[in-house]
Amino acid sequence: MSTAASVTAELTGTGVRRFTRRATARRADTSWLTLGGDLLSALTTAGVVVAVLGGAFSALRERIAARPPAPATDLPGELTALVAALVVAAAVVALLSRLGPLSATPAAAAWWLPLPADRRGLLRGDLRRVGAVAVVAAVVVALPVVLAAPAAPTLLEVVVTVLAAALLALLAVGVLVLLQARSLTGWVAPAAGSLATVAVVVPAVLGTVGAGGSGWTWVPAAPDLPLPVLAGVPLLLAAGALLAADRVSGRVPAGALRDRGTAVLVASVSALSLDTRELGRALGTPVHPPRRARRWARVHTPWQAVVAGDLAVTTRSPWRWGQLAIGTALPVLAARTDGLGGVPALVAVAVVLGWSLAAVALGEPSRQAHGAPAADRSLPLGARDVVRARALVPLAGLVVVCAVSAGLVGLGWEWAALGAATAPAWAGAAVRGGYRPELDWSGPVLSSPVGAVPVTVVFTLLRGPDLGILGSVPLVIGLLLGVVPPLLLGVALGWSVLLGLVAVETAQRRRS
C-alpha cells in the first residue's frame, strides 16, 4: 500500500513538476551563487534603466514646459499617454492570446501530457510564469507613461499606478485562461487590434477638428475614490480571475497546448536569433479566404497578375487596414498633442514610426514572395520586372497614407503634397525590406545579451527602412522650418523618386 500510495503521490501534477525540477537541478551546472549573481545583475540593470528613463522623461518634461505653446495643439498630454498605454496593453493581450497563455513545449507535450497526472497541477507552473511575465510587462508599460505625464507625479501616484497596472495584467491573464479553456480566444487578438486602432485614430481626428476652433475640454483623471477602494477592487478581481483560471486550466485541450507551445518555441528562437521575418510569421494573424470569388476581368498581362495578387494579399487581412490607419494617425496624434507638437524632432519620430508601420503592412506581398519564390519564377517576367510590379501597390497605398498624414500634420495642401512626394521612397523601402536576405551566420559574430549575433545584423534589419528614413529628410526640414517652400517640394519629389528606384533595383541584391 505504501508503494502504491507513493507512486500515486508522485504522479500528481505537482509531483511531476517537482521531479522534473529536481532532475534538472542535478544535471545543471548552475549553482545558487550563480543564480543570485544573475538576479542581482538583473535587478541592477532594471534599476539603471528606470533611473535613466526617469531622468530622460523629467528633462524632456522641463524642456517642453519651457517652450511656448505651439499652434494647432489641442490634445492634453495625459490623453496621449493614455493612448500609448492602451496600444501597448492591447499588443500584450494580443500576444498572450496568440501564444497561450497556457502552452506546452514539444518536449513537455510528448512527456507530460500523456502521463496519468492531473493537468491542472502540471500547468500551474506555466500559469505562474505567465503571470510574472504579464506583471513585468505591465510595470514596463506603466512606468514610462506615468513618468511622461505633463505634471511631475508623486511617489504615491507612481506606486499606485504601477500596482494597478500589475493587477490589471493578472486579471487579463486569468480571463484569457478562462477563454482558452473554452476555445474562445480567437476573437481576442482582432478585438485588441481594433481597440488599438480606435484609440489612435479617434483622438487624432478629434484633435484635428479641435485645431479648427472647436477646442478640447476633457482631461483624463483618476476617479476621486479612497485609496483602499482603488487598490482593493483590482486586487479582488485579479485574485478571483487567477483562482478561476487555476480551476479550469485542466480543461484546456492537449492539442491546443501543443500548438501554442510550438508557436512559443518558434517565436522564442526567432526573437533570440533576431529573425524578425520568422517572428512575424509565428505571431501573424490567420488570413481567412474571401466569402466570394473575385473576378479580375481586366487582368491580361503578367505584371497585372502580380498587382492583382498583391491587392488580394493586402486587402484580405483586416489587420493590414488597421496598420495603415494607425500609421496615418500616429504623426497626427503627436502633432496635435500639447508639448509634443511644439518639438519638431518628436513629430518627425512619430512620422517615421507611423510610415514605417504602413510600409510594413504594404510589404507583406514582397515578404511572401521572398519566402515562396516559386510563384514568381513561374511568371513570364524577369526578376527585376516582378519586383518593379510589386512596388505599384505599396506606391499607391503610401501616396494616400503619406499625403493624408502630412496634410493633417501641417494643416495645408502644401504639406499633403510634400507627404505624397515622400511616398516613392517609402514604397521602395517596403519592397526592399520584404526582399531583404536572411541573417548571414557564416561570418563573424558579436556577443550580445541575447547571445551571439552576426556583426551585420544592424545592416540586415535596417535594409529597407533606411531609405525610407532618408526620403523623409525633406519633410523633417519642412517641420523645422514650419513652412513648405516650393523648392522643397521639387527637391523632395526628385530625392524620393531616386531613393525609390535605388530600393527597387537593389531589392534582391545580397550584401557581400
Side-chain angles (χ1 to χ4, degrees), residues 54-68 147-152 339 343:
F57 282 123
S58 299
L60 181 61
R61 186 189 301 113
E62 295 175 357
R63 291 183 59 185
I64 291 176
R67 297 177 65 94
L147 292 178
V343 184

Side-chain angles (χ1 to χ4, degrees), residues 129-160:
R129 284 191 292 271
V130 172
V133 171
V135 168
V136 172
V139 172
V140 171
V141 172
L143 195 58
V145 171
V146 69
L147 292 178
T154 63
L155 180 60
L156 181 61
E157 292 174 345
V158 173
V159 172
V160 171

Side-chain angles (χ1 to χ4, degrees), residues 423-507:
W426 283 105
V431 176
R432 191 168 186 259
Y435 279 99
R436 75 172 187 267
E438 307 291 343
L439 291 175
D440 185 11
W441 292 90
S442 61
V445 296
L446 180 68
S447 178
S448 70
V450 297
V453 295
V455 295
T456 59
V457 60
V458 177
F459 299 101
T460 303
L461 294 180
L462 291 180
R463 183 182 175 90
D466 51 356
L467 296 185
I469 295 173
L470 288 177
S472 302
V473 171
L475 180 66
V476 177
I477 295 175
L479 291 174
L480 294 175
L481 295 176
V483 294
V484 182
L487 178 62
L488 186 61
L489 282 176
V491 172
L493 182 59
W495 176 241
S496 178
V497 170
L498 176 62
L499 291 177
L501 292 176
V502 171
V504 171
E505 295 299 325
T506 61

Side-chain angles (χ1 to χ4, degrees), residues 126-487:
D126 287 340
L127 182 60
R128 293 172 182 171
R129 284 191 292 271
V130 172
V133 171
V135 168
V136 172
V139 172
V140 171
V141 172
L143 195 58
V145 171
V146 69
L147 292 178
T154 63
L155 180 60
L156 181 61
E157 292 174 345
V158 173
V159 172
V160 171
T161 303
V162 172
L163 179 61
L167 293 177
L168 290 177
L170 293 177
L171 174 62
V173 170
V175 173
L176 285 175
V177 173
L178 294 176
L179 294 175
Q180 186 182 10
R182 296 191 174 188
S183 302
L184 297 177
T185 56
W187 62 270
V188 175
S194 301
L195 175 63
T197 304
V198 172
V200 176
V201 173
V202 171
V205 172
L206 294 179
T208 304
V209 174
S214 63
W216 183 277
T217 57
W218 179 74
V219 177
D224 188 12
L225 296 175
L227 183 60
V229 176
L230 288 176
V233 173
L235 179 61
L236 292 177
L237 292 177
L242 290 178
L243 289 176
D246 181 68
R247 291 177 61 89
V248 303
S249 59
R251 305 176 188 174
V252 181
L257 293 173
R258 189 181 298 109
D259 294 340
R260 300 296 174 86
T262 303
V264 169
L265 181 62
V266 173
S268 302
V269 173
S270 303
L272 291 177
S273 61
L274 299 180
D275 188 356
T276 56
R277 183 183 286 114
E278 189 63 30
L279 180 62
R281 292 170 183 166
L283 303 179
T285 57
V287 178
H288 302 287
R291 296 181 179 179
R292 60 178 182 178
R294 296 181 179 180
R295 299 182 181 275
W296 304 94
R298 299 183 179 181
V299 175
H300 303 289
T301 60
W303 71 268
Q304 291 177 342
V306 174
V307 174
D310 292 352
L311 281 174
V313 171
T314 304
T315 59
R316 193 179 300 170
S317 175
W319 174 235
R320 303 299 171 199
W321 293 102
Q323 285 180 293
L324 294 177
I326 293 176
T328 305
L330 187 60
V332 183
L333 181 64
R336 298 284 86 82
T337 301
D338 292 335
L340 297 182
V343 184
L346 297 180
V347 178
V349 171
V351 167
V352 171
L353 292 178
W355 293 359
S356 297
L357 183 63
V360 169
L362 294 172
E364 177 63 22
S366 299
R367 290 192 295 273
Q368 293 190 7
H370 179 271
D376 287 353
R377 293 175 181 175
S378 63
L379 294 172
L381 287 174
R384 289 188 177 182
D385 295 332
V386 173
V387 176
R388 293 166 186 167
R390 293 208 181 277
L392 296 179
V393 171
L395 178 60
L398 286 167
V399 164
V400 177
V401 169
C402 298
V404 173
S405 183
L408 294 179
V409 166
L411 297 177
W413 67 267
E414 65 276 6
W415 289 95
L418 183 59
T422 312
W426 283 105
V431 176
R432 191 168 186 259
Y435 279 99
R436 75 172 187 267
E438 307 291 343
L439 291 175
D440 185 11
W441 292 90
S442 61
V445 296
L446 180 68
S447 178
S448 70
V450 297
V453 295
V455 295
T456 59
V457 60
V458 177
F459 299 101
T460 303
L461 294 180
L462 291 180
R463 183 182 175 90
D466 51 356
L467 296 185
I469 295 173
L470 288 177
S472 302
V473 171
L475 180 66
V476 177
I477 295 175
L479 291 174
L480 294 175
L481 295 176
V483 294
V484 182
L487 178 62

